[in-house]
Amino acid sequence: MTDPQIERKLIEIMRVISESDKPIGARNIADELQNRGYNLGERAVRYHLRILDERGFTEKHGYNGRTITTSGRKELDDALIGDRLDFVITRIEELIYKTDYDPFSKKGNVIVNLSTVDKDDFDNAIDVMKYASSGDISISPNIKVFEEDSDPRIYVPPGCVNIATVCSITFDGLLLKSGIPIKPAYGGIIEMEHNDPVQFLDMISYSGTSIDPVKIFMMRNETSVLDVLDTGNGRILANMRNIPSSAVEKTKEVLKYLEDSGIGGVLSIGDSSDAMVGAPVEEGMAGILVAVGVNLVAAVEEAGIPVDTSPVSMVLDYSEMSKL
Amino acid sequence: MTDPQIERKLIEIMRVISESDKPIGARNIADELQNRGYNLGERAVRYHLRILDERGFTEKHGYNGRTITTSGRKELDDALIGDRLDFVITRIEELIYKTDYDPFSKKGNVIVNLSTVDKDDFDNAIDVMKYASSGDISISPNIKVFEEDSDPRIYVPPGCVNIATVCSITFDGLLLKSGIPIKPAYGGIIEMEHNDPVQFLDMISYSGTSIDPVKIFMMRNETSVLDVLDTGNGRILANMRNIPSSAVEKTKEVLKYLEDSGIGGVLSIGDSSDAMVGAPVEEGMAGILVAVGVNLVAAVEEAGIPVDTSPVSMVLDYSEMSKL
């Protein structure tokens, strides 16, 4: 087949066509792609549509535009199944690559989680998150709120509000941008004593799962973030990444620059390749343990407010976010 | 420190002492250990108790027996945290090693999952399992029922019944006993069409998680085992292991012998190292996809009956189990 980049675009175009309830033309497809974060002009769309026509996946209806054919729908379904099955690390690596926040100019992208709450619960949820952001159990107190139809990039279900929190994988992106090779290793639930991390109670490797580990642990409802905030003891969500031991000093430097932007949440930096808080560390590497951003949201759930969260969801300009 | 085998015994003895509400003597400790499947006589217990006393972890109260000290309790807590954190593959490999069912003499151990249901739901649960066992979505129709206090090996919560089903990891044990090197790879949820496996929809590697993948997928309630039984289409739980490609013929032979014992459930055997149903297969290896035993139990949950399941729980003599 052709270039995977082109294949990706063909799939996205087919997705737009299949979601339209009537034939749709190149200009409208280009607009819709723009909404979804794909920067593909009308002319480029036309080029890709010709490929789809040739393969028999789309069909032209004069000036009305195109519809998807039966074999196109099958192709799309297969591709979407494949999509879902990517190990989560593949998607994370794409977002890491898109992270370009610069702590000096205070501009650029960070990675965010998206959490959906009912409009009626919004004020209470924000109160809890504000309280939670006072502790050292999340990466940043900055959030962004999306209301229904407020932003073409984000779909907000009717009657709901989406809240973006900074995702801990942002660190991986920022370290990579500073030339430090980094690899997300484990996500899990960690026992805290006197505000210090003691031990992973359970963990899942980022590289062997198609479901985000943090999402799995949120679903299990085992956190006690509010207890940690109140007493220093309890269970929070955290993840660990590995860097070369020789990059530990440079990493600490980068983290220092980030403090100024309100980006923190590093629980522990290993100084050797000994296992850290129960997680194995490869020879020659050091672990960095970070409290994940969705601890703010886990606290909301602990307070009895239903939330649905997609960790590591998208990139967002950090300057668009404001302090809780 | 000493031999890990001895450390293991010391921990188990401390666990028994800590769970007793009064001082407990060597004989009662030995009995209790026996109940938990540790074969350690009174004399051996006395020997280990002396080590614990020396370390300051236990304390003797004349003839009344021993209690645990504060530092003993801390040591125990640390050890139990370590216990929980083992990747699930470690425990699975221990059970694989203990599997010794012989399809010719029809004697020996298989690995089982344990599911707990309320006594009042028992009859309905068995009806659903019986129906589910008529399809090819589990490894064996044989189960064993444990009632409260019916078997010293198994703790059954008050008012409940435990049901043991054959675990798909039994295959790994049986193939290993036949000299075929085998490694559990992924557990996940698989799309079935016309009773054939199409694609993993999600999956988690056995080697990178401290929580059993099948337990995670049961919690997500995404199966539609009853649909597969009714129409051939739907989602069931399955897992994949890899064997050397050169062992495929021998594996098919072993599986043939097992049919006579009612052990089946193999969905697909790869004949090359191409990715199978969306799961990567290493070069030179072939994948074996098996419908897991707890599909019987997932069907019970789909029917609205609450069940709590521990997959890959223990080994049990297959001759103790009987057909649904």
Side-chain angles (χ1 to χ4, degrees), chain A residues 81 84-85 87 186 199-205 208-211 216-217 219-220 278 280, chain B residues 81 84-85 87 186 199-205 208-211 216-217 219-220 278 280:
Chain A
I81 287 178
R84 279 206 295 274
L85 228 212
F87 285 133
Y186 300 100
Q199 184 96 23
F200 270 117
L201 297 176
D202 270 308
M203 61 185 177
I204 296 174
S205 160
T209 171
S210 65
I211 310 173
I216 292 172
F217 286 107
M219 185 176 55
R220 287 169 65 91
Chain B
I81 285 177
R84 281 205 294 272
L85 229 211
F87 285 134
Y186 300 100
Q199 184 95 24
F200 270 116
L201 297 177
D202 270 308
M203 63 183 174
I204 295 173
S205 159
T209 171
S210 66
I211 311 173
I216 293 171
F217 287 107
M219 185 175 58
R220 289 169 61 93

Side-chain angles (χ1 to χ4, degrees), chain B residues 198 200 240 268-272 274-281 286-289:
Chain B
V198 180
F200 270 116
M240 203 172 89
S268 173
I269 302 183
D271 50 7
S272 75
D274 290 344
M276 208 172 107
V277 288
V281 177
I288 306 179
L289 185 73

Side-chain angles (χ1 to χ4, degrees), chain B residues 18-89:
Chain B
S18 80
E19 284 167 16
S20 166
D21 48 9
K22 50 182 196 296
I24 182 172
R27 191 183 315 160
N28 290 335
I29 294 173
D31 287 350
E32 187 53 37
L33 287 173
Q34 189 80 40
N35 291 347
R36 297 172 184 206
Y38 282 86
N39 202 350
L40 205 67
E42 194 181 330
R43 182 192 291 232
V45 169
R46 278 186 210 289
Y47 165 79
H48 288 89
L49 283 171
R50 275 197 298 274
I51 303 178
L52 287 171
D53 286 347
E54 279 165 20
R55 293 190 187 171
F57 293 160
T58 52
E59 204 177 345
K60 204 175 175 206
H61 303 272
Y63 287 110
N64 292 324
R66 268 155 183 102
T67 56
I68 193 161
T69 64
T70 309
S71 79
R73 190 167 298 278
K74 201 190 160 310
E75 178 74 15
L76 180 60
D77 285 348
D78 288 351
L80 295 184
I81 285 177
D83 260 16
R84 281 205 294 272
L85 229 211
D86 255 354
F87 285 134
V88 70
I89 193 75

Side-chain angles (χ1 to χ4, degrees), chain A residues 78-94:
Chain A
D78 287 351
L80 295 182
I81 287 178
D83 260 13
R84 279 206 295 274
L85 228 212
D86 252 354
F87 285 133
V88 70
I89 193 74
T90 312
R91 196 165 46 84
I92 285 178
E93 277 167 355
E94 193 185 329

